[in-house]
Amino acid sequence: MVLNVTNSPFNEQQTELLNRLLPTLNGHQQIWLTGYLSAQAAAGVQTPGGTVVPAVPQAESAPQTPEAPAAPREVTLLYGSQTGNGSGLAKKLAKRLEEQQVKTEVLSMADFKPNNLKKIANLLIIVSTHGEGEPPDNAISFHEFLYSKRAPKLDSLNYSVLALGDTSYEFFCQTGKDFDTRLAELGASRLAERADCDVDFDETAGEWMKAVTEALSATPAAAASAADSAAPLSSDSESEYSRSHPFQAEVLENLNLNGRGSARETRHLELSLEGSGLTYEPGDSLGVYPENHPRLVDEIIAEMGWDPQENVAIGKNGAAALREALHRHYEITVLTKPLLEQAAKLTGSDTLARLTSPEAADELRAYLGNHDLLDLIRDFKLHGKSAAELTGILRKMPARLYSIASSPQATPDEVHLTVRTVRYACGGRDRYGVCSVQMAERLEPGDRLPVFIQHNPNFKLPQNPDTPIILIGPGTGVAPFRSFLAEREETGSRGKSWLFYGDQHFSTDFLYQVEWQRWIKDGILTRMDVAFSRDTDQKVYVQHRMLDKSKELYEWIDGGAAVYVCGDEKHMAHDVHSALETIIAQGGGLSPEQASEYLLRMQQEKRYQRDVY
Ligand code: NAP
């Protein structure tokens, strides 16, 4: 029914506003508004117009209004993430919501039954984006469901999305954006706007949590003040050290694992966690804050003609001498689209502005892929800008995550890493992987590295120590499997294990060869198949070895083995996935679709876990 001045107590302007608003409200919103207004009236609340609406005694209020519904007090909180950031944030948010008496059910997206969507009133999503804008493993099936024909209308659902991502990737926060868009298309209403987080997510995530807690709480003001005084998001109750307050771990050992003549260099690093209170499990990662190469820092300062001792700001509250700031606090090797956009504003350069426009997406991708800050300065003539102006638009140095290669049972108070050194030449200059080259060239026993533990609940040994495990990890992807086997040895686990490993050459690149051999001899490692890609005319990769052993592999899988894949995401992980589909289809006599469903089920049952990037 349309309101007009004759059938309502509103003036013309109010009538017009209401007629614009009312048709846009869904059923849930209409009921909520009715209740809200009557609750305001009952409490004698001052309206925005300044009039005090008198408290109306219930008995006299006619016509009968529905009872004011309590503010939403139950929420389902789903997380999807590959590295454990999502689940960590979800746990912290759940704690804050519970403190505000909001009943919160926290679930991995893989454990949520999408058919229950119709039954819930409030949904919060925390999700990261993987690879080329893809959902992380535990979000794949929920993402597919929402975009399928089976997705229901969700008119009475309220929701909000926290998207985790990295601005150095083209499809920044794409999965979060997908969920946000799709839920709106299905008729759901936003409790709070989506927030998109870069790698340094604390501040943005904190603001989003505050907004959703206020929206869901019966007492928004109390929720806001509780959020302001809450513990930092990165804090870990087990230790005083965390992502925002890293532990300075002493280097105990730093070796090159590759033999003479190898094209590769792989560092085996042993660090001490003694006195840190930091604990980890096999499958977790270590976050490391690296330092930029001093040569690149000096080249930038010389190019700009800056004073290396000039004081510049670090974040909101800190400051440091410029050389120190560029060495330790700012990212100078990776360019991002937001950085180029800000540089375009700073310089007023039309060429730079055009490079960040939607029409230049391919050109931008190519430029970001192989240029650093020094190139940007030279290519777009950033000379003349002050140190404060330029550092003001740089990203804080992000931590690097490495899969831990040691078992806390076997080597307590230590953490081991396996890190491939990245060096290449481009545009007539030598380029360095920031962290790996620091480890290779400028890190000796006795030095210290700022570190924290990144727990990864999505890459864990089976709870039952007798469950057979199949481990697929070429190159440095083998790191967590050294941890898995050391743990199984130490805990006396009797489950069978099968390792597929590969690298370029048997003689120079067989990482940890002696350890695998000892574990085979001692019965800790049941089987091992290797693929040395450059020892034969035709390349041989781990998936070829898997296909060679297709029948036996299927027997292991069918018998309940858990499958783990670690290493390169772009090619290897996809090829290994296809090989597994083939093996399951052949072994089980299944169609390709059935085999892919079989693998999806394994993923949901946590029998197929990946740590790939
Ligand atoms: P890599 O470059 O992955 O090479 C290892 C072996 O895999 C080589 O024999 C290589 O052969 C082969 N290979 C190349 N393409 C393949 C494909 N499509 N399928 C199967 N095998 C293939 O080794 P890496 O330098 O150690 O890099 C490993 C990757 O894992 C990196 O992306 C790294 O970021 C990631 N990662 C590292 C860690 C860690 O540091 N602990 C943990 C997890 C993941 P050719 O070179 O002869 O082609």
Side-chain angles (χ1 to χ4, degrees), residues 255-417:
L255 307 166
N256 180 10
L257 295 175
N258 294 94
R260 191 173 306 177
S262 172
R264 318 197 121 191
E265 177 179 355
T266 316
R267 307 307 301 191
H268 171 74
L269 222 70
E270 299 187 356
L271 304 170
S272 170
L273 293 180
E274 201 176 346
S276 67
L278 289 171
T279 55
Y280 67 91
E281 289 175 27
D284 289 341
S285 295
L286 190 77
V288 178
Y289 284 104
E291 294 176 354
N292 284 308
H293 203 296
R295 198 177 316 151
L296 180 61
V297 171
D298 290 340
E299 281 176 328
I300 290 171
I301 293 175
E303 184 74 23
M304 296 299 287
W306 286 332
D307 169 8
Q309 294 311 319
E310 179 185 341
N311 236 32
V312 291
I314 309 285
K316 279 189 183 147
N317 304 316
L322 174 64
R323 190 170 192 280
E324 165 79 357
L326 292 180
H327 184 47
R328 292 187 38 204
H329 299 286
Y330 285 114
E331 182 171 61
I332 59 174
T333 48
V334 175
L335 299 179
T336 65
K337 188 176 178 192
L339 170 63
L340 264 59
E341 284 167 344
Q342 296 195 60
K345 277 195 204 133
L346 194 65
T347 55
S349 158
D350 289 342
T351 338
L352 201 44
R354 198 198 61 78
L355 186 60
T356 58
S357 66
E359 306 79 62
D362 291 344
E363 216 179 311
L364 177 71
R365 189 178 313 119
Y367 191 81
L368 296 180
N370 56 14
H371 290 80
D372 62 15
L373 184 63
L374 186 58
D375 296 316
L376 185 73
I377 290 170
R378 289 177 174 161
D379 294 346
F380 296 96
K381 314 273 179 294
L382 267 55
H383 310 89
K385 296 294 154 208
S386 71
E389 282 175 311
L390 209 52
T391 52
I393 62 172
L394 295 180
R395 215 164 58 144
K396 262 167 66 183
M397 174 76 89
R400 275 48 174 179
L401 292 180
Y402 294 102
S403 314
I404 293 175
S406 52
S407 142
Q409 302 289 334
T411 42
D413 276 340
E414 284 183 23
V415 63
H416 302 176
L417 302 180

Side-chain angles (χ1 to χ4, degrees), residues 82-83 137 281-285 403-404 455-462 470-472 477 479-481 484 563-567 606 608-612:
Q82 203 88 0
T83 60
D137 282 352
E281 289 175 27
D284 289 341
S285 295
S403 314
I404 293 175
H455 297 288
N456 185 357
N458 305 317
F459 204 72
K460 286 283 159 279
L461 276 164
I470 297 167
L471 314 171
I472 303 151
F481 304 140
F484 278 18
V563 177
Y564 298 85
V565 182
C566 181
K606 299 189 170 50
Y608 175 34
Q609 301 184 25
R610 306 193 299 172
D611 175 13
V612 295

